[in-house]
Amino acid sequence: LDEVESEFEVQHKKVIETDAKGGVRSKIPKGFPYVHADFSLGGGYAHVVENPHEFPRDFMQHTIAGMCELTVLDRAYGTREEYRRACETFKARFSEGFDWTQALKG
């Protein structure tokens, strides 16, 4: 977010750190357009978007791909079947006995 800041008109603080307790709602006023990246319900980073009409729709997709040293054209799975199997495995791991709300109580 800091690296691309110069590309956009800015009047607000560049990057706002969020935490698990209050989340983005405690840091960004209601009604403000923003982008937010959250890491495992443990907090993340937010940025107020000054002009949403000029802000690229795929900004976060490119940002996360860049963090992973990928391009948005790179794919994690070679085929749809690989993707479907991975999704089913993921669902199975978290469907039984996993309560994500416990992370909010900490």
Side-chain angles (χ1 to χ4, degrees), residues 4 8-9 11 55 65 79 84 95:
V4 296
F8 307 106
E9 190 177 318
Q11 294 177 6
F55 199 78
T79 66
R84 286 189 185 117
S95 65

Side-chain angles (χ1 to χ4, degrees), residues 41 98-106:
L41 298 175
F98 182 78
D99 185 5
W100 63 270
T101 61
Q102 294 301 313
L104 300 176
K105 295 178 183 174

Side-chain angles (χ1 to χ4, degrees), residues 66-98:
M67 290 170 61
C68 297
E69 297 181 355
L70 302 169
T71 71
V72 293
L73 301 175
D74 292 326
R75 299 283 184 238
Y77 304 99
T79 66
R80 285 186 180 189
E81 188 54 39
E82 283 182 50
Y83 174 72
R84 286 189 185 117
R85 278 196 306 267
C87 288
E88 291 304 317
T89 301
F90 183 80
K91 287 178 190 176
R93 286 179 55 208
F94 291 102
S95 65
E96 298 174 16
F98 182 78

